Amino acid sequence: MAKESLVKEHVDVVIVGAGPAGLTAALYASRANLKTVMIEQGLPGGEVNNTADVENYLGYPLISGPELAEKMYQSAMVFGVDHVMGQVTKIDIEGEAKLVYTSDKCFISKVLILATGCQHRKLGLDSEMRLNGKGVSYCAVCDGFFFRDKDLVVVGGGDSAVEEATYLTQFASKVTIIHRRDQLRAQKLLQDRAFNHPKIHFIWDSVVEEVVGDQAVEAVRIKSLKDQKDSLVPCQGVFIYIGLVPNTSLVTSLGICDEEGWIITNERMETSIPGVFAVGDVRQNTLRQIATAVGDGSRAGHQAYLYLQEMDANK
Ligand code: NAP
């Protein structure tokens, strides 16, 4: 649709993304009586939906990811957020106005809160792309069930790799974690669980060079970084957890990201553009947790209110 023919809607706050950070920002902004639109292309709750069990979010000693996501969504909607299901196609800043485009609308807002999160990094192999969905996966919760009594490989050494490897043991006969160093990055508790699990094995100092298979995964070819030797690890599934990349393609031209693409903010969640905030996993940050996302969202929702008050006072 041509830009000029889009329906225009003026609002106080637009939030892009409805993970824990976006949902909390929406709760705070709407509760402060701000006209709040939250745009999300997927399921509210974001990555929490792809987490089997959450055991480090206060108030819920153990809860399934999808259940927590649903509770968060219900809670965020209480004060009248307009939840728009769809994809944001473009963001423009024109003075104090933030223009957020979807396929059929242009939201013109005074405050923009970016809560677009991140996605799993890919190994970048042709064979990985070709066998994606045919044994290569980035989501144990979504796909683990299909690998009952199979041998699996998990690539990576962080919290995600180790936690998801442990999750996969309920289906798989054997899970081999392949890590490029000889020490895990994951939290000690998660490491201990994996080290003590009879189904989990480790291959250290090695990288995956090829996912082998024609119509389905049959093995991975790995290279040892110690002696540069290649070897094959037979498996029927490969789960890749080698870190995250930010979803910031919509805002790269705004000059608010660091060299890796994460959005830079101060402790008030403000970017360098007045009225533009960033929260949760998309923000340059050393800890990415549901709890930190919720903290970010509450701060940005409150700051949005203060920012609009100041705008009014200066009129
Ligand atoms: P991460 O912490 O960045 O770990 C990525 C892992 O992949 C590292 O072990 C890294 O190796 C390895 N790696 C990176 N690039 C690679 C490549 N090209 N080839 C092979 N290996 C590669 O990412 P994550 O585990 O996805 O976690 C992301 C964030 O979410 C973290 O902040 C984490 O704490 C958080 N998280 C928390 C929980 C929890 O609290 N239960 C669960 C999941 C995730 P090196 O170690 O050598 O760098």
Side-chain angles (χ1 to χ4, degrees):
M1 206 181 274
K3 221 167 143 181
E4 311 74 51
S5 54
L6 292 174
V7 177
K8 292 191 174 69
E9 185 176 338
H10 287 264
V11 298
D12 293 321
V13 180
V14 167
I15 300 163
V16 185
L23 288 170
T24 311
L27 169 64
Y28 274 68
S30 58
R31 192 165 177 269
N33 217 16
L34 305 178
K35 189 173 182 203
T36 303
V37 169
M38 178 180 73
I39 309 172
E40 167 63 61
Q41 59 186 358
L43 276 179
E47 267 300 301
V48 177
N49 288 293
N50 298 329
T51 307
D53 293 326
V54 176
E55 57 182 13
N56 56 357
Y57 186 58
L58 200 67
Y60 297 97
L62 181 64
I63 185 168
S64 85
E67 194 185 346
L68 180 59
E70 175 61 21
K71 281 180 189 291
M72 286 181 156
Y73 177 63
Q74 296 303 337
S75 174
M77 299 307 286
V78 167
F79 297 98
V81 176
D82 179 10
H83 171 197
V84 174
M85 281 178 253
Q87 197 179 5
V88 173
T89 54
K90 190 168 166 7
I91 292 175
D92 281 336
I93 308 292
E94 288 181 6
E96 283 181 344
K98 286 84 192 171
L99 279 59
V100 181
Y101 296 90
T102 61
S103 59
D104 59 348
K105 262 192 164 175
C106 172
F107 294 96
I108 302 168
S109 134
K110 297 168 193 157
V111 167
L112 171 62
I113 301 178
L114 299 162
T116 46
C118 50
Q119 55 186 287
H120 293 290
R121 178 180 287 134
K122 312 271 188 300
L123 287 166
L125 304 169
D126 289 344
S127 53
E128 172 193 16
M129 297 301 124
R130 187 169 52 77
L131 291 166
N132 189 358
K134 297 175 182 169
V136 172
S137 171
Y138 306 86
C139 179
V141 174
C142 319
D143 299 329
F145 180 78
F146 300 113
F147 295 92
R148 199 166 282 284
D149 301 324
K150 306 283 191 229
D151 286 354
L152 299 179
V153 154
V154 171
V155 188
D159 285 342
S160 299
V162 176
E163 193 166 66
E164 301 308 324
T166 309
Y167 172 80
L168 287 167
T169 56
Q170 64 188 299
F171 310 107
S173 43
K174 178 182 172 187
V175 179
T176 304
I177 296 179
I178 298 174
H179 184 35
R180 64 183 178 182
R181 292 188 293 131
D182 65 355
Q183 268 186 338
L184 296 172
R185 180 180 292 278
Q187 299 161 45
K188 179 84 170 52
L189 176 103
L190 300 177
Q191 290 195 27
D192 289 345
R193 275 184 200 159
F195 287 139
N196 291 323
H197 202 292
K199 283 190 183 176
I200 298 182
H201 304 258
F202 291 86
I203 298 179
W204 302 108
D205 300 304
S206 298
V207 290
V208 173
E209 295 218 302
E210 185 190 356
V211 184
V212 180
D214 184 13
Q215 294 305 314
V217 169
E218 291 164 18
V220 290
R221 185 168 55 79
I222 61 170
K223 182 172 82 177
S224 161
L225 298 176
K226 288 264 165 180
D227 58 15
Q228 310 305 315
K229 280 192 180 142
D230 277 11
S231 58
L232 277 183
V233 181
C235 60
Q236 288 80 51
V238 186
F239 288 80
I240 298 165
Y241 288 106
I242 58 166
L244 305 167
V245 284
N247 294 325
T248 42
S249 56
L250 284 168
V251 296
T252 39
S253 63
L254 300 184
I256 56 175
C257 300
D258 67 13
E259 62 285 353
E260 288 178 16
W262 304 101
I263 301 177
I264 302 167
T265 70
N266 61 18
E267 63 179 18
R268 294 186 293 277
M269 308 301 133
E270 295 164 328
T271 67
S272 55
I273 303 174
V276 178
F277 300 82
V279 290
D281 284 356
V282 76
R283 196 165 78 78
Q284 189 190 60
N285 197 0
T286 51
L287 186 62
R288 294 194 167 84
Q289 298 281 309
I290 299 171
T292 54
V294 165
D296 286 5
S298 60
R299 176 59 104 161
H302 180 62
Q303 282 303 136
Y305 168 74
L306 296 179
Y307 174 81
L308 291 173
Q309 269 202 328
E310 205 181 313
M311 255 179 116
D312 280 349
N314 291 336
K315 265 185 189 159

